[in-house]
């Protein structure tokens, strides 16, 4: 099975939304964002060859590059004491809001592309998953607005909203990573349907994929056993009733 771009999209997404959290405190957050955006832009360019619905996500990444560069220069400004005037609180506040809006729009556009291509290839459950993930992204955006907007009536609830915001953030990132992993394993080019899945060049991606497949198969096996047990009990009850009638 030939990679259509979902593999690079998965890696770029992981760097942008997971690795960034780790390295940002070390001063490399901007570099992680530039690398992540670059991989996702390339991946979406490949995916656009198979479905034009990915164009929206691709071009929403373009303004993210200068914002990531701004983040990187801000780190250098603090480390080297440059004192650049573009890093006042007002400018930083504007770039924070722009980054938030662009990343929310990007995620919704990416999920829209996945939903459309999954529908076209007949993988209905994956299209449904993309819609569910869109709901969690939208919920995160609403919670973010409640936490950040200066509404005095919400002051008492902000600590609880902050916890809900963090949990929702982790939830939609985790679900999107699982969805991208599933796309990488199950959506292929026309003619590759009967080919065995091609291992990723990254061993850790293969380990995650294998673990995901094992858990999925285990869930299927458990469901099958439970269904067989239910059918067996129903059959036994019917036979018992027949014997009593006799």
């Amino acid at each position: 099975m030939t990679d259509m771009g979902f593999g690079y999209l998965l890696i770029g997404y992981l760097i942008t939304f997971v690795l960034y959290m780790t390295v940002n405190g070390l001063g490399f957050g901007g570099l992680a964002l530039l690398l992540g955006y670059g991989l996702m832009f390339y991946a979406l360019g490949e995916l656009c060859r198979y479905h034009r619905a990915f164009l929206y996500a691709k071009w929403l990444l373009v303004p993210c590059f200068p914002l990531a560069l701004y983040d990187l220069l801000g780190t250098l400004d603090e480390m080297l004491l440059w004192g650049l005037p573009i890093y006042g609180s007002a400018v930083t506040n504007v770039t924070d809001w722009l980054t938030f809006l662009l990343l929310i729009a990007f995620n919704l556009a990416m999920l829209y592309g996945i939903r459309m291509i999954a529908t076209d290839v007949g993988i209905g459950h994956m299209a449904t998953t993309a819609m569910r993930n869109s709901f969690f992204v939208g919920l995160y955006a609403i919670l973010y607005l409640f936490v950040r907007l200066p509404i005095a009536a919400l002051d008492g609830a902000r600590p609880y909203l902050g916890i809900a915001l963090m949990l929702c953030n982790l939830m939609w990132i985790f679900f999107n990573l699982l969805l991208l992993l599933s796309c990488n394993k199950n959506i292929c080019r026309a003619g590759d349907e009967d080919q065995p899945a091609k291992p990723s060049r990254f061993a850790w991606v293969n380990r995650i994929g294998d673990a995901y497949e094992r858990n999925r198969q285990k869930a299927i096996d458990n469901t099958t056993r439970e269904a067989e047990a239910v059918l067996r009990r129903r059959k036994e009850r019917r036979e018992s009733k027949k014997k009593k009638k006799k």
Side-chain angles (χ1 to χ4, degrees):
M1 184 183 297
T2 308
D3 183 21
M4 297 168 55
F6 282 116
Y8 285 105
L9 185 58
L10 169 64
I11 297 167
Y13 198 91
L14 188 68
I15 292 172
T16 302
F17 293 97
V18 179
L19 184 62
Y20 171 78
M21 299 179 189
T22 304
V23 302
N24 189 43
L26 302 175
F28 302 108
L31 284 175
L33 289 178
L34 288 172
L35 177 59
Y37 292 157
L39 285 171
M40 290 194 295
F41 188 83
Y42 169 78
L44 289 166
E46 291 293 303
L47 287 166
C48 285
R49 296 164 55 190
Y50 305 100
H51 206 297
R52 293 183 61 82
F54 287 101
L55 274 173
Y56 303 107
K58 176 184 176 182
W59 295 117
L60 278 168
L61 276 178
V62 173
C64 292
F65 283 98
L67 290 172
L69 186 59
Y70 177 87
D71 184 283
L72 177 61
L73 289 176
T75 301
L76 294 175
D77 181 62
E78 291 181 5
M79 293 173 57
L80 302 177
L81 304 176
W82 288 343
L84 297 175
I86 59 172
Y87 289 99
S89 59
V91 178
T92 301
N93 190 48
V94 170
T95 58
D96 285 347
W97 277 105
L98 283 175
T99 301
F100 161 72
L101 293 172
L102 284 169
L103 290 182
I104 291 296
F106 164 77
N107 275 276
L108 293 175
M110 181 191 73
L111 291 169
Y112 169 75
I114 292 174
R115 179 165 65 89
M116 296 304 293
I117 197 171
T119 300
D120 282 2
V121 298
I123 309 180
H125 70 88
M126 197 174 293
T128 302
T129 300
M131 292 182 65
R132 179 205 64 187
N133 291 9
S134 297
F135 167 78
F136 283 115
V137 174
L139 179 61
Y140 170 81
I142 293 171
L143 288 172
Y144 185 91
L145 292 174
F146 275 120
V147 170
R148 291 292 301 270
L149 290 176
I151 303 174
L154 295 174
D155 287 346
R158 287 189 202 281
Y160 306 102
L161 289 173
I163 295 173
L165 179 70
M166 180 185 66
L167 293 175
C168 189
N169 185 24
L170 294 174
M171 187 179 298
W172 65 260
I173 290 174
F174 176 72
F175 284 157
N176 282 351
L177 286 170
L178 286 183
L179 177 60
L180 289 172
L181 182 63
S182 182
C183 290
N184 189 46
K185 290 176 69 67
N186 298 303
I187 299 180
C188 61
R189 298 176 182 177
D192 284 354
E193 295 88 350
D194 298 326
Q195 298 296 321
K198 182 180 178 181
S200 170
R201 69 186 67 184
F202 301 97
W204 59 270
V205 173
N206 293 326
R207 287 196 294 270
I208 294 174
D210 291 342
Y212 172 78
E213 189 61 32
R214 284 196 302 272
N215 290 331
R216 187 177 72 88
Q217 190 59 48
K218 183 178 179 181
I220 292 173
D221 292 341
N222 289 339
T223 302
T224 302
R225 282 196 297 270
E226 290 172 2
E228 289 174 348
V230 170
L231 292 174
R232 186 172 60 254
R233 287 195 295 269
R234 287 180 180 175
K235 183 179 179 181
E236 290 172 353
R237 284 197 296 267
R238 285 197 300 268
E239 291 177 351
S240 177
K241 288 180 181 179
K242 289 179 180 179
K243 290 179 180 178
K244 287 180 180 179
K245 289 180 181 179
K246 293 179 180 179

